[in-house]
Amino acid sequence: MTTRVNYQKELAMLGQSLEEMGELVENNIEKSLAAFEKRNVELAQEIVKGDRAVDDMQRSIEARCLSLMLHQQPVVARDLRLVSSALKIVTDLERIGDHAQDIAELVLRITDADIIGNVGHIIEMASKAKKMMKDAIHAYTARDMALADQVTRDDDAVDDLFNEVKLEISNLLRDGKEPVDDCVDVLMIAKYLERIGDHAVNICEWTEFNETGVVKNIRLL
Amino acid sequence: MTTRVNYQKELAMLGQSLEEMGELVENNIEKSLAAFEKRNVELAQEIVKGDRAVDDMQRSIEARCLSLMLHQQPVVARDLRLVSSALKIVTDLERIGDHAQDIAELVLRITDADIIGNVGHIIEMASKAKKMMKDAIHAYTARDMALADQVTRDDDAVDDLFNEVKLEISNLLRDGKEPVDDCVDVLMIAKYLERIGDHAVNICEWTEFNETGVVKNIRLL
């Protein structure tokens, strides 16, 4: 049985690990989108080759959460909220990390660098999705509920941009102006950006839960 | 503090709730894919209109998990595995439910019913993804590790089929044989099917964890 003081230390370490995983994922997305925008093949290759760092961090945080649940008893509601929200958020972080790799793989396949210029809204979409993800991680670690609300609202803009991008790509395909495969790949990149926005919203929901025990007006704890 | 007997009852009820949520999600995917294959607009509309049943079940199961963690102490590792895997799996089930709605929305937009016949691998992909999901839910509830392993292996076939479908759609777009928007929509449906396969694999990972405390050779508990 862990002492209360040790337990508080371990909770603080859990928070720190989540922050580190957030930074790593953020960094991977930054690189992946930079590779896309600048058609930087070396950078894309670096991401694709990747390493198991994100997966390892996910498993290590999950193990830490479960160990805290098992060994510190009785647990109080506030601590349980912290541990269970961490257990949920690592899944979203890991998925965002996967999307960094997915995007980098597609960057390596695109043959016509000019396509980015012809899909007017994709850079804005990338920049907004990236900001949502960074803000979501910051909202969680800083327990900033106003920022979490902001991220949730920002998702509509990313969804709207996804529809714009789909329209632009449909037009390119109709006009035969770009290679079909490139169009399909850019569409998939847009889909991953839209999903990154969704994961950011999930992180914000668990941020709200961590603070209040409530998710979207439903009390969970 | 709950008594041990009550706790065992509550664990059994948790398992039952997960099973019910699994059945509901399975049913929604069945309907959604039937609507796609048969171009059944009424069925698609029914799914799109949907109801909040899946979301409500998710929140209710999460609340039940957290309450079990908070009120039954000390908890033993085996019970904690059950509760924490349930907490993880509801997220995958809810996402699969979302994809049922995503697919139904796209079914309503497709203008040329014949496109399904021209994308030769999409029906096979839908059938395999659906089977993976059903098997995954069954593997979890029946604690059938051999079936869970099988589902994980099946994912390669679904990923391969996704690549086939992408190729078929690229060819349709290149030949101008189908409306561009329909091609884009069918591609998105294929992407959702691929994601359903991924969620089935996640469910199997948590099935393994529930039985053994291990996920992909890493001991979490």
Side-chain angles (χ1 to χ4, degrees), chain A residues 8 20 24 44 56-57 65 80 82 91 95 97 117 129 132 141 161 166 168 180 214:
Chain A
Q8 289 304 326
E20 282 165 21
L24 180 64
D56 290 347
M57 281 174 121
C65 289
L80 180 57
L82 183 74
T91 311
R95 288 300 310 159
M132 278 181 75
T141 54
L161 283 164
K166 270 205 284 193
E168 286 168 340
V180 166
V214 169

Side-chain angles (χ1 to χ4, degrees), chain B:
Chain B
M1 196 68 47
T2 329
T3 67
R4 186 76 205 157
V5 173
N6 276 342
Y7 187 67
Q8 289 304 325
K9 268 192 202 155
E10 287 191 32
L11 282 183
M13 278 168 65
L14 172 63
Q16 209 179 316
S17 300
L18 256 187
E19 222 163 315
E20 281 166 21
M21 186 177 172
E23 277 165 24
L24 179 64
V25 166
E26 212 177 288
N27 197 25
N28 286 357
I29 282 287
E30 287 275 6
K31 279 189 195 166
S32 178
L33 291 177
F36 173 55
E37 289 172 27
K38 296 172 183 132
R39 287 274 302 143
N40 184 331
V41 170
E42 288 74 27
L43 201 53
Q45 275 165 339
E46 189 191 312
I47 303 285
V48 170
K49 208 173 49 189
D51 49 48
R52 297 187 32 87
V54 174
D55 288 356
D56 290 347
M57 280 174 122
Q58 177 192 18
R59 295 309 177 197
S60 139
I61 291 171
E62 284 169 348
R64 198 186 285 258
C65 289
L66 294 165
S67 162
L68 280 167
M69 284 172 174
L70 191 65
H71 296 122
Q72 174 61 29
Q73 299 178 4
V75 70
V76 297
R78 189 183 164 79
D79 295 343
L80 180 56
R81 291 205 302 266
L82 182 74
V83 176
S84 51
S85 62
L87 199 58
K88 287 285 196 175
I89 283 177
V90 285
T91 311
D92 290 295
L93 288 179
E94 190 266 343
R95 289 300 309 159
I96 296 175
D98 278 354
H99 291 332
Q101 284 212 321
D102 294 330
I103 290 171
E105 275 172 27
L106 293 172
V107 167
L108 291 177
R109 286 164 36 133
I110 291 173
T111 56
D112 179 17
D114 294 338
I115 192 168
I116 298 175
N118 287 330
V119 184
H121 289 88
I122 189 97
I123 297 296
E124 190 187 350
M125 191 185 174
S127 139
K128 279 212 161 45
K130 189 169 65 182
K131 184 170 183 304
M132 279 182 75
M133 180 209 53
K134 291 176 80 158
D135 286 348
I137 295 171
H138 184 72
Y140 180 74
T141 54
R143 296 171 170 262
D144 183 338
M145 290 302 300
L147 186 59
D149 286 346
Q150 182 58 52
V151 171
T152 304
R153 282 194 300 275
D154 288 346
D155 196 37
D156 287 342
V158 170
D159 288 348
D160 290 346
L161 284 165
F162 181 49
N163 288 328
E164 292 285 349
V165 166
K166 268 204 283 193
L167 206 65
E168 287 167 340
I169 290 172
S170 292
N171 288 336
L172 285 177
L173 284 165
R174 209 169 281 115
D175 300 345
K177 272 196 188 155
E178 290 285 352
V180 166
D181 291 341
D182 286 356
C183 291
V184 167
D185 287 343
V186 173
L187 181 65
M188 283 295 133
I189 290 176
K191 184 69 196 167
Y192 291 126
L193 293 172
E194 187 242 0
R195 289 296 304 143
I196 290 169
D198 289 345
H199 287 295
V201 171
N202 290 349
I203 291 171
C204 291
E205 286 179 10
W206 291 108
T207 299
E208 183 194 358
F209 167 77
N210 188 25
E211 280 305 288
T212 63
V214 169
V215 176
K216 290 198 280 187
N217 301 319
I218 298 173
R219 174 155 300 279
L220 297 189
L221 189 74

Side-chain angles (χ1 to χ4, degrees), chain A residues 7-20:
Chain A
Y7 187 66
Q8 289 304 326
K9 269 191 203 157
E10 287 192 32
L11 283 183
M13 279 169 64
L14 172 64
Q16 209 179 314
S17 301
L18 255 187
E19 221 163 316
E20 282 165 21

